[in-house]
Amino acid sequence: MKNIKIAAVIALLGLGFTSCKDEKQEKAQKTIDSYVAYVDSVKNVSAENLKENWTSVESEYDRRAAEADAALADLKDNTAATEKISSSKTKFEEFKNEMTTVFAPPAASPKQQLRDALFGAGKIGDDMNFSWVNAQNIHSVYQQFVHTVEDNKDKYSREDWDEIKLMYEALDSRKNTVEKEGLTSEDNRKIAGLKVKFAPMYTVNRMGAKSEENKEAKK
């Protein structure tokens, strides 16, 4: 009788272990299926909404992907599940690359590209604000401007030269203000030298660009 009771207890324990094991595998499978479903659902969200919430989307993806990878250890045969996870990872990476292109800011206009080259990226926009130019940096600003023009003088069109002149005059206007704010005589002298270099370079090359355009027009 005693042996029968012991056997019954062992059998019940065995059922309990089996039940727990099955429950663990079921939970692991659900975790993996949830991860796969998340990847598929993200692809159905509009690009506009994704752009606003992309950081959260990536964070949630990373969490679910980590949980899915960990869940593989709880599956007796995880071959199919491993393939599902791998496939979803590939899908998400491809989608992420696609969205990176969609989210990228539009390319700057030729005029803005020219301004970025002359002054530094984003320094001068449509508002033509030169307030960032001060007594401490104005010499280096002139230096970059003139040297950039010198390096690219053979590539500029007549419209480019007109834009360059507009920017140059705006910088000169800012210099008039900066001179009253502590511009050193040494920097003023160096700027004068850069201005002497710029003036004939502008005149000659703009005339050359206009002449080339007239030739092309005649063709």
Side-chain angles (χ1 to χ4, degrees), residues 112 114-124 132 144:
Q112 187 59 53
L114 178 58
R115 292 181 179 186
D116 288 346
L118 294 171
F119 297 105
K123 290 293 183 65
I124 298 295
W132 56 277
Q144 177 173 336

Side-chain angles (χ1 to χ4, degrees), residues 57-170:
V57 168
E58 276 198 297
S59 179
E60 181 65 11
Y61 169 82
D62 290 340
R63 183 184 71 79
R64 287 174 181 263
E67 289 179 350
D69 285 334
L72 288 172
D74 293 331
L75 294 177
K76 186 176 181 181
D77 180 4
N78 62 19
T79 304
T82 300
E83 289 178 359
K84 286 175 73 173
I85 291 174
S86 178
S87 176
S88 288
K89 283 182 177 179
T90 300
K91 280 183 186 178
F92 188 81
E93 284 305 313
E94 289 175 350
F95 183 66
K96 180 179 176 179
N97 291 336
E98 181 185 333
M99 288 299 101
T100 299
T101 302
V102 172
F103 297 160
S109 66
K111 182 172 75 172
Q112 187 59 53
Q113 289 178 35
L114 178 58
R115 292 181 179 186
D116 288 346
L118 294 171
F119 297 105
K123 290 293 183 65
I124 298 295
D126 291 335
D127 58 0
M128 297 276 288
N129 186 347
F130 279 81
S131 61
W132 56 277
V133 179
N134 53 49
Q136 286 69 48
N137 66 17
I138 192 167
H139 171 238
S140 63
V141 174
Y142 266 99
Q143 213 169 23
Q144 177 173 336
F145 185 98
V146 174
H147 289 169
T148 299
V149 172
E150 185 176 29
D151 291 342
N152 297 279
K153 62 182 184 294
D154 296 328
K155 304 174 186 176
Y156 293 138
S157 66
R158 182 171 56 83
E159 287 79 7
D160 290 335
W161 284 109
D162 289 345
E163 178 68 16
I164 288 168
K165 183 182 180 185
L166 179 67
M167 292 297 102
Y168 181 76
E169 289 174 347

